[in-house]
Amino acid sequence: MSGEQTVRIDQGAVGDPQSAAVGRRALSVVVAGGGTAGHIEPALALADAVRRLRPDAQVTALGTERGLENRLVPARGYPLELIPPVPMPRKASPELLKLPLKVRESVKQTRDVLDRVGAHVVVGFGGYVSLPAYLAARGRVPIVVHEANARAGLANKVGAKFADRVLAATPDSGLTGAQTIGIPLRESITRLDRWALRAQARAHFGLHPHAPVILVFGGSQGARTLNVAFSGAAEALGRAGIGVLHAHGPKNTIAVQQVPGAPAYTAVPYLERMDLAYAAADLVVCRSGAMTVAEVSAVGLPAVFVPLPHGNGEQALNAQPVVSAGGARLVADEQLTTQRVIDEVLPLARDAQRLQEMSRATLGTGHREADHVLAQIVLEVAGQ
């Protein structure tokens, strides 16, 4: 009797869900989004959402030995499989001639991983590990592509050509037929109540409990432009009664002029608790990577975005919807000087009514449910 029951369940019998789960192989999802936090964090947010829907699911992350995923993925409790990266040369060079061999070896190792974990679906978020993941899965394992940037990268353009579903954070990403769902974010961000955590957050960073606070950061490695402009304005900000929480990057240092009796200018190498950083702040000045824009919008934090001046201009495009809605201002990298901070950012930080208006505007551009929406699509594509 027990053997017959197992056969019927494996063939998709209906009935008690718990009994059905006994007979089916646990869902195996492989996420590919290594390299930078902008690729890794959406992948991990999806992993968390899949686990909430299917606690028995196995989620495996692909990465490279040099990527930030080596720190972030294990810390979140997911297994990490390392494969050779496939960086695309931007111009003709000897490296371009070696590319076919690099791709072949990376695809081979990725297929080994997919076979070993019994992957039901591969979900790619762009970056160096996504291209071999798409090529390894093609014709073998269903593929879901998610594009976080306003302008799609090469890996996702390739993957989208044979993916089962294509999703994007914003319209007009350059991926034909993409469904716009926003960017998957951690629950600690999407469920953040900034006002409820405000006192705890400010105590955590040693900030004044009531003074206006500006949060400054330039990504995981910091940003020289922001570091120079704000450290130079530290005395003026202090005399104006404004506190600052400034993440300058682990490889950088800054010297600031603390004003006796003024709110603290707190400088740290890196922010481990972004939820508390957002809760502590009234205004943020930062780069406009896709992930940063999505998080700032989700928590309703007014922003001054300073796009990275390199690449194909996608950071300015990422910020544009929030700027157009009135939730943020855009300042070019070369225009963010100490004097610009004093003349423009300082008065904005002291204008409580304007900040409140900007907060309402930026909240309207966020997608707080993107992680759940994407997880449901992934389960559907996986036949689960």
Side-chain angles (χ1 to χ4, degrees):
M1 286 294 293
S2 61
E4 292 178 2
Q5 184 182 25
T6 301
V7 170
R8 286 199 299 270
I9 290 172
D10 283 344
Q11 290 177 345
V14 295
D16 177 44
Q18 289 186 329
S19 298
V22 173
R24 68 187 176 198
R25 183 162 56 95
L27 171 66
S28 177
V29 178
V30 173
V31 295
T36 65
H39 290 132
I40 302 163
E41 286 292 352
L44 291 175
L46 168 67
D48 292 344
V50 167
R51 282 275 183 86
R52 289 194 295 271
L53 292 175
R54 286 285 300 274
D56 64 322
Q58 174 187 356
V59 183
T60 306
L62 297 177
T64 69
E65 61 181 9
R66 295 183 179 180
L68 197 58
E69 60 270 18
N70 288 274
R71 182 170 62 83
L72 297 181
V73 172
R76 295 278 281 274
Y78 294 102
L80 175 65
E81 293 282 349
L82 301 181
I83 62 172
V86 185
M88 296 297 294
R90 295 184 179 273
K91 58 184 179 180
S93 69
E95 287 300 310
L96 191 60
L97 299 176
K98 300 177 185 177
L99 189 62
L101 289 176
K102 288 184 177 181
V103 171
R104 188 178 298 118
E105 179 58 26
S106 189
V107 169
K108 179 181 180 299
Q109 291 192 34
T110 305
R111 280 181 181 159
D112 290 343
V113 173
L114 300 184
D115 291 342
R116 188 166 65 250
V117 303
H120 288 98
V121 60
V122 169
V123 189
F125 293 84
Y128 292 164
V129 299
S130 288
L131 182 58
Y134 296 144
L135 296 176
R138 184 180 186 183
R140 296 167 174 246
V141 180
I143 297 169
V144 175
V145 170
H146 182 277
E147 177 56 59
N149 285 302
R151 183 174 289 164
L154 179 60
N156 278 352
K157 285 181 178 179
V158 173
K161 293 182 182 299
F162 42 84
D164 295 77
R165 293 289 296 274
V166 180
L167 300 313
T170 62
D172 305 320
S173 65
L175 300 182
T176 303
Q179 176 185 347
T180 303
I181 64 166
I183 299 179
L185 301 174
R186 293 166 289 171
E187 270 201 322
S188 61
I189 299 299
T190 59
R191 298 186 181 276
L192 178 64
D193 185 333
R194 287 172 51 220
W195 290 108
L197 273 181
R198 186 182 179 94
Q200 175 190 339
R202 292 196 168 193
H204 177 82
F205 293 112
L207 296 165
H208 193 284
H210 306 299
V213 170
I214 303 173
L215 170 63
V216 183
F217 66 94
S220 59
Q221 299 304 313
R224 185 178 184 277
T225 298
L226 274 64
N227 291 349
V228 171
F230 272 86
S231 60
E235 184 177 3
L237 291 166
R239 294 193 182 284
I242 297 171
V244 178
L245 174 57
H246 185 162
H248 51 71
K251 296 182 180 180
N252 307 317
T253 58
I254 59 172
V256 298
Q257 180 67 47
Q258 297 279 6
V259 178
Y265 191 118
T266 301
V268 298
Y270 186 77
L271 292 165
E272 295 286 350
R273 291 290 305 271
M274 283 305 303
D275 56 335
L276 293 183
Y278 289 143
D282 298 288
L283 172 69
V284 60
V285 181
C286 57
R287 294 300 194 197
S288 50
M291 195 71 185
T292 299
V293 173
E295 289 190 350
V296 166
S297 301
V299 303
L301 189 58
V304 176
F305 290 125
V306 186
L308 191 70
H310 310 300
N312 58 7
E314 70 271 13
Q315 285 212 355
L317 294 175
N318 293 337
Q320 201 54 58
V322 190
V323 174
S324 298
R329 296 181 183 178
L330 196 66
V331 177
D333 184 82
E334 68 274 11
Q335 295 176 0
L336 187 76
T337 61
T338 291
Q339 197 59 48
R340 185 76 177 262
V341 171
I342 294 170
D343 293 343
E344 184 173 331
V345 180
L346 187 158
L348 179 60
R350 298 182 67 185
D351 190 341
Q353 182 176 345
R354 180 68 185 129
L355 291 177
Q356 190 174 38
E357 293 169 354
M358 291 177 71
S359 179
R360 285 195 296 267
T362 193
L363 269 174
T365 67
H367 294 267
R368 285 179 170 242
E369 302 299 324
D371 59 337
H372 182 73
V373 172
L374 181 56
Q376 288 181 313
I377 292 171
V378 167
L379 263 61
E380 176 189 329
V381 170
Q384 300 287 316

